[in-house]
């Protein structure tokens, strides 16, 4: 007696596609939420060094924590893009993929900005150390120079 036939394999082509209205609504809702969260992160960073005193130097916080927060939003966008792809919601999938690219560009730009600011701070510290150095007296005797920090 032959064995019973195997049940048919699931066919992905019969999986229902997300409705167009729901797809567009989800895409717009996710984009709005992500833009608001990213704008909030940027506003908190700007507030960290904002001053109305023209005499004060504005010193902003380091970007590390803010970039991590933006990366978490980007991770959520990756997850949403994967879920949208699996649910056959192309508008949401493409919009989330675009957000992932934009957030990645923003994180790379923020990292470059922080490196630039760190290099400027190092240059200012080095220049300040050399500005405190007095001219050397080389008048026939041993050279005597003031060493900064002594």
């Amino acid at each position: 007696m032959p064995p019973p036939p195997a049940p048919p394999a699931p066919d992905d082509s019969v999986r229902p596609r997300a409705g167009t209205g729901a797809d567009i609504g989800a895409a717009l809702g996710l984009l709005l939420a992500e833009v608001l969260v990213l704008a909030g992160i940027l506003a908190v960073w700007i507030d960290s060094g904002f001053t109305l005193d023209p005499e004060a130097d504005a010193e902003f916080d380091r970007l590390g924590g803010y970039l991590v927060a933006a990366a978490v939003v980007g991770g959520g966008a990756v997850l949403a893009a994967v879920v949208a792809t699996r649910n056959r919601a192309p508008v949401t999938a493409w919009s989330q993929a675009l957000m992932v690219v934009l957030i990645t560009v923003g994180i790379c730009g923020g990292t470059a900005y922080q490196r630039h600011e760190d290099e400027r701070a190092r240059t200012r510290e080095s220049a300040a150390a050399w500005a405190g150095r007095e001219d050397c007296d080389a008048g026939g005797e041993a050279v005597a120079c003031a060493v900064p920090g002594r």
Side-chain angles (χ1 to χ4, degrees):
M1 176 153 124
D11 187 11
D12 281 342
S13 65
V14 295
R15 186 170 38 174
R17 180 180 169 163
T20 305
D23 186 16
I24 293 172
L28 291 176
L30 286 169
L31 285 175
L32 180 64
E34 290 161 351
V35 166
L36 288 175
V37 170
L38 291 171
I41 292 169
L42 180 64
V44 170
W45 177 71
I46 289 173
D47 186 50
S48 73
F50 182 74
T51 180
L52 293 175
D53 184 8
E55 299 295 321
D57 285 336
E59 295 214 16
F60 293 95
D61 290 344
R62 292 187 50 82
L63 280 175
Y66 301 103
L67 294 178
V68 169
V72 169
V73 175
V78 168
L79 181 63
V82 169
V83 169
T85 301
R86 291 183 58 99
N87 288 328
R88 298 177 61 188
V91 176
T92 303
W94 280 102
S95 66
Q96 290 305 293
L98 176 66
M99 281 304 292
V100 169
V101 169
L102 292 176
I103 291 170
T104 302
V105 168
I107 289 171
C108 291
T111 302
Y113 173 79
Q114 188 62 55
R115 284 186 185 161
H116 175 72
E117 287 299 311
D118 291 345
E119 185 62 33
R120 283 184 56 202
R122 241 181 268 120
T123 304
R124 280 194 302 261
E125 289 171 4
S126 176
W130 279 101
R133 184 171 187 245
E134 296 176 6
D135 291 333
C136 294
D137 178 33
E141 298 180 14
V143 177
C145 294
V147 177
R150 284 192 183 177

